[in-house]
Amino acid sequence: MPMNPESRYDAILQKLRAHNLKLTPQRMAVAKILSRSEGHPGVERIHAQLKDAFPTMSLATVYRNVMLFKSLGEVLELGFPDGGNRYDGNKPYPHPHVVCVQCKAIIDPDLDSLKDMASEIAAETGFKVLTHRLDFFGICPKCQHSASQ
Amino acid sequence: MPMNPESRYDAILQKLRAHNLKLTPQRMAVAKILSRSEGHPGVERIHAQLKDAFPTMSLATVYRNVMLFKSLGEVLELGFPDGGNRYDGNKPYPHPHVVCVQCKAIIDPDLDSLKDMASEIAAETGFKVLTHRLDFFGICPKCQHSASQ
DNA sequence: TTTGCTGCAAATAGTTTGCAGAGAC
DNA sequence: GTCTCTGCAAACTATTTGCAGCAAA
């Protein structure tokens, strides 16, 4: 159930204005792609999609804008250790993903609950689930009690 | 509930023998550390712990052995996009983790179920849970039907 | 003796950064 | 006009790899 890409796009632009950030054509183009986030694109893919409209556009600019949006909370980063991070500007909040280890496709499953997850995923997506990864990130008790740092 | 480190160590050695791989002192030392996996060590940490016993030991050797154990299914790799992957040779199967984003501590929570996870985690570990990551990895329908590749 | 392992150093690859000019406001 | 952004190229960093010598079996 993806959010309406246009309202996501507007939300991102609004956030940019609220922070007095400039609306350059490149930045807006990246925002537009991320607001759809079809297939959870990576930086390289975003860059490729913009090559026609912006022949001189550099990868660095894509990186910088994606990171900017992420820092604004408007993009969810799916980090992978073997490079090729992927981004979701349509649902910029944590949610499960199903990743094809072969073609690198990434889709969002609809999970009623998180019980019997693997079989639920398999039934819904047709994936053959090989493994999963579930991490919680937070501040450990020791760090909570130390002068934040 | 960590498994008995010694039996894990023996299991790794046994697997090595079964594959006609050589039991070098360096390899055995890495296996020993991983069989405990206290704190889910990273490569750098493993290397540091072996500097005393093996002053000339190179990082490359640690990398090679960790990857070897991983390929044998004896080590679970916790990959992080920002480098510094972590390893678990004590419970080499997928399971949830709780990661402190500040000090990088990683612990294994006991989860009765995966419902109300965040609060369950908080109650059990004392962590202030900020976010989480749940990925399923598998083969998508399209890839299942294409000549495996 | 044979085969695989280690140490070293160089190569890789995704990402980040310094800088000078261009452009949004 | 000011201040940020962009493009380019160089820098970074975790990890991988080629190679020659060394050691396990």
Side-chain angles (χ1 to χ4, degrees):
Chain A
M1 57 183 83
M3 182 173 285
N4 176 4
E6 276 160 48
S7 50
R8 281 299 303 144
Y9 179 62
D10 292 341
I12 296 175
L13 293 200
Q14 218 163 307
K15 183 76 74 94
L16 289 172
R17 288 193 202 94
H19 286 253
N20 290 314
L21 294 163
K22 298 187 173 170
L23 302 187
T24 66
Q26 293 94 326
R27 178 167 289 170
M28 286 160 58
V30 173
K32 179 147 276 177
I33 290 180
L34 286 172
S35 65
R36 284 190 253 113
S37 293
E38 279 168 358
H40 303 74
V43 174
E44 204 69 59
R45 192 182 217 307
I46 296 172
H47 184 241
Q49 286 184 45
L50 296 178
K51 264 296 176 184
D52 285 334
F54 304 88
T56 71
M57 184 159 192
S58 76
L59 253 187
T61 295
V62 179
Y63 272 108
R64 279 188 281 233
N65 280 301
V66 167
M67 300 219 314
L68 173 65
F69 298 151
K70 178 189 164 194
S71 75
L72 293 173
E74 295 296 327
V75 159
L76 175 72
E77 181 180 62
L78 299 180
F80 293 94
D82 45 328
N85 291 359
R86 306 282 284 270
Y87 298 90
D88 189 340
N90 187 259
K91 294 165 64 180
Y93 44 84
H95 58 278
H97 293 92
V98 190
V99 183
C100 179
V101 296
Q102 210 161 106
C103 69
K104 308 300 180 191
I106 301 181
I107 66 177
D108 293 345
D110 282 329
L111 281 180
D112 291 337
S113 82
L114 288 165
K115 300 173 74 168
D116 301 304
M117 295 174 294
S119 48
E120 210 171 319
I121 296 281
E124 184 196 323
T125 67
F127 267 64
K128 179 193 286 189
V129 176
L130 298 175
T131 185
H132 65 267
R133 179 168 170 178
L134 174 57
D135 295 327
F136 296 89
F137 298 89
I139 312 291
C140 72
K142 199 176 68 178
C143 286
Q144 286 178 55
H145 300 139
S146 67
S148 70
Q149 201 255 111
Chain B
M1 56 182 87
M3 182 174 284
N4 176 2
E6 278 160 46
S7 51
R8 281 299 303 144
Y9 178 62
D10 292 341
I12 296 176
L13 293 200
Q14 217 163 305
K15 184 75 75 92
L16 289 172
R17 288 194 202 93
H19 286 254
N20 291 313
L21 294 163
K22 297 185 174 173
L23 302 187
T24 67
Q26 293 95 327
R27 177 167 290 170
M28 286 159 60
V30 173
K32 179 148 274 177
I33 290 180
L34 285 172
S35 65
R36 284 190 253 111
S37 293
E38 278 169 357
H40 303 74
V43 173
E44 204 68 59
R45 193 182 216 307
I46 296 172
H47 184 241
Q49 286 184 46
L50 295 179
K51 264 295 176 185
D52 284 333
F54 304 89
T56 71
M57 185 160 190
S58 76
L59 252 187
T61 295
V62 180
Y63 272 108
R64 280 188 281 231
N65 280 302
V66 167
M67 300 220 312
L68 173 67
F69 298 150
K70 177 189 165 194
S71 74
L72 293 174
E74 296 296 326
V75 159
L76 176 72
E77 181 179 63
L78 299 179
F80 294 94
D82 45 329
N85 290 359
R86 307 282 283 272
Y87 298 89
D88 189 340
N90 187 260
K91 294 165 62 181
Y93 44 84
H95 58 278
H97 293 93
V98 190
V99 182
C100 179
V101 297
Q102 210 161 107
C103 70
K104 308 300 181 190
I106 301 181
I107 66 177
D108 292 345
D110 282 328
L111 281 180
D112 291 336
S113 80
L114 288 165
K115 299 172 75 169
D116 300 306
M117 296 174 294
S119 47
E120 211 171 318
I121 296 280
E124 184 197 325
T125 67
F127 268 63
K128 178 192 286 189
V129 176
L130 299 175
T131 185
H132 66 266
R133 178 167 170 179
L134 174 57
D135 295 327
F136 295 89
F137 297 89
I139 312 289
C140 71
K142 198 176 67 179
C143 285
Q144 286 179 55
H145 300 139
S146 67
S148 68
Q149 199 253 113

